[in-house]
Amino acid sequence: SNIGIIYYSTPYNDVKTLIEETVNKRSPYSNERRKISPCSIKYSYSAEWPAVVLIHEMRSFSKLDLTNLYLGISRARVHCSVILYPRGVETLETEFYGDMLDLLDKMKDYMHVVRH
């Protein structure tokens, strides 16, 4: 496949179902012929794609969150788009939101950052 869609979130099954159903509807081919491959971050350790879309839920700025963020980004050989989102609306009302903005500021020298 040419594009990997890697997801990291909880509850795991909600995002997994949404992404895999969407890919299956758009690309009814077998896994071998499919141009887009959905993959959970926990199964992506030895995988590589020319392009990756990483959908990553930030629960906190724990070592696990940042390790998984790096793992997802490193699966791309050429291009990587990252979608970061906080866990739950309550996260936006805490200092966590400021930490996420700080992380994006640190990344802007290495990538194009778009905030929505």
Side-chain angles (χ1 to χ4, degrees):
S1 63
N2 298 329
I3 301 170
I5 299 178
I6 301 174
Y7 48 90
Y8 174 69
S9 70
T10 54
Y12 166 77
N13 287 333
D14 290 349
V15 174
K16 176 183 184 287
T17 301
L18 177 66
I19 291 172
E20 290 186 354
E21 284 180 2
T22 301
V23 169
N24 288 336
K25 285 179 187 174
R26 295 227 175 248
S27 182
Y29 305 114
S30 67
N31 285 341
E32 294 79 31
R33 292 185 55 212
R34 191 175 284 162
K35 293 191 184 288
I36 300 172
S37 294
C39 182
S40 167
I41 195 118
K42 65 183 179 181
Y43 299 119
S44 71
Y45 281 93
S46 62
E48 265 190 350
W49 294 272
V52 167
V53 176
L54 174 61
I55 302 170
H56 191 287
E57 175 189 69
M58 294 297 288
R59 297 179 218 163
S60 64
F61 283 85
S62 66
K63 185 176 180 180
L64 177 63
D65 259 2
L66 296 176
T67 299
N68 282 321
L69 178 62
Y70 175 78
L71 172 64
I73 291 170
S74 69
R75 301 300 88 206
R77 291 192 304 253
V78 179
H79 184 79
C80 184
S81 294
V82 179
I83 301 169
L84 295 175
Y85 64 96
R87 181 180 191 176
V89 177
E90 67 280 354
T91 305
L92 296 175
E93 299 169 358
T94 67
E95 63 187 44
F96 174 79
Y97 183 67
D99 290 341
M100 185 175 265
L101 292 177
D102 291 343
L103 176 64
L104 293 175
D105 282 339
K106 290 176 186 173
M107 294 175 150
K108 72 181 178 185
D109 291 338
Y110 307 101
M111 61 184 71
H112 178 73
V113 176
V114 178
R115 299 178 185 184
H116 291 281

